[in-house]
Amino acid sequence: GPNSSETAGNSSVEVPSQDIVSADQEIAAQLAKEKKIQTAPSVKNLEKYTDVMTLANSLLGTPYVYGGNSVNGFDCSGFVSYVYSTAGFSITRKSSLDYFMNDTTIVANPVPGDAVFFKNTYISTISHMGVYIGDNQFIHAGSNGVEISNLSYDYWDTRFVAFKRFNVVK
């Protein structure tokens, strides 16, 4: 089932420790610059979030394709871009790192539909993202395709960085 797959397929990659320290400093500096969002999105945008999650769930099992951003195959940021754009948000296709640094803001209390970011999956900095669906779970395009994973699983827990909201979501 979609909850059974808990690996990203990249767990054997060794990231040099000096790269991790540098990346961690860059990530911390970015988060320190952001004013944490304290409120939920508007009712209109929460309705769009429902559409994001419905669409995301309809894509479970879609294969992983590096650089993919269509129903033929997705990578993580291509998946997020596709579901948000299709739900009516103006999201340009970018990398997870670019979204983290330029297009999102950290949230105090994530709601289903907010983005979730990870580091050290295959490079030392922000390198994976997905859509938070509640109950400590997220949906994403992992190496096994579009799947649901649990944030408390050790692989994700040790790489979790932040819940963030796209700046176009008010």
Side-chain angles (χ1 to χ4, degrees), residues 22-38:
S22 176
D24 285 351
Q25 291 169 341
E26 181 182 33
I27 290 166
Q30 177 60 35
L31 292 173
K33 289 191 309 189
E34 298 177 11
K35 185 176 189 287
K36 192 178 283 189
I37 298 170
Q38 300 290 337

Side-chain angles (χ1 to χ4, degrees), residues 145-166:
V146 176
E147 61 187 342
I148 294 172
S149 295
N150 195 307
L151 288 163
S152 63
Y153 180 71
D154 189 57
Y155 182 87
W156 297 114
D157 183 54
T158 59
R159 290 163 175 82
F160 173 81
V161 174
F163 293 105
K164 296 185 83 180
R165 187 168 297 151
F166 279 96

Side-chain angles (χ1 to χ4, degrees), residues 49-165:
Y49 267 11
T50 299
D51 294 341
V52 165
M53 291 187 301
T54 299
L55 179 60
N57 277 301
S58 76
L59 296 167
L60 283 168
T62 302
Y64 179 87
V65 173
Y66 184 79
N69 60 354
S70 76
V71 296
N72 296 321
F74 294 105
D75 67 8
C76 67
S77 57
F79 172 72
V80 170
S81 171
Y82 182 86
V83 296
Y84 274 82
S85 296
T86 303
F89 291 110
S90 180
I91 305 289
T92 303
R93 172 68 159 100
K94 296 182 179 183
S95 70
S96 55
L97 176 60
D98 201 1
Y99 285 141
F100 182 87
M101 299 299 284
N102 300 305
D103 298 297
T104 58
T105 302
I106 194 168
V107 294
N109 300 300
V111 298
D114 282 335
V116 60
F117 288 88
F118 303 89
K119 64 182 179 180
N120 301 334
T121 59
Y122 72 97
I123 57 174
S124 60
T125 190
I126 299 297
S127 52
H128 193 69
M129 68 184 304
V131 178
Y132 181 61
I133 60 173
D135 296 326
N136 213 36
Q137 296 184 320
F138 68 107
I139 190 167
H140 62 115
S143 59
N144 296 319
V146 176
E147 61 187 342
I148 294 172
S149 295
N150 195 307
L151 288 163
S152 63
Y153 180 71
D154 189 57
Y155 182 87
W156 297 114
D157 183 54
T158 59
R159 290 163 175 82
F160 173 81
V161 174
F163 293 105
K164 296 185 83 180
R165 187 168 297 151

Side-chain angles (χ1 to χ4, degrees), residues 2-25:
N3 292 311
S4 63
S5 180
E6 296 294 348
T7 63
N10 299 318
S11 58
S12 64
V13 173
E14 291 294 325
V15 178
S17 60
Q18 71 275 13
D19 292 348
I20 292 172
V21 170
S22 176
D24 285 351
Q25 291 169 341

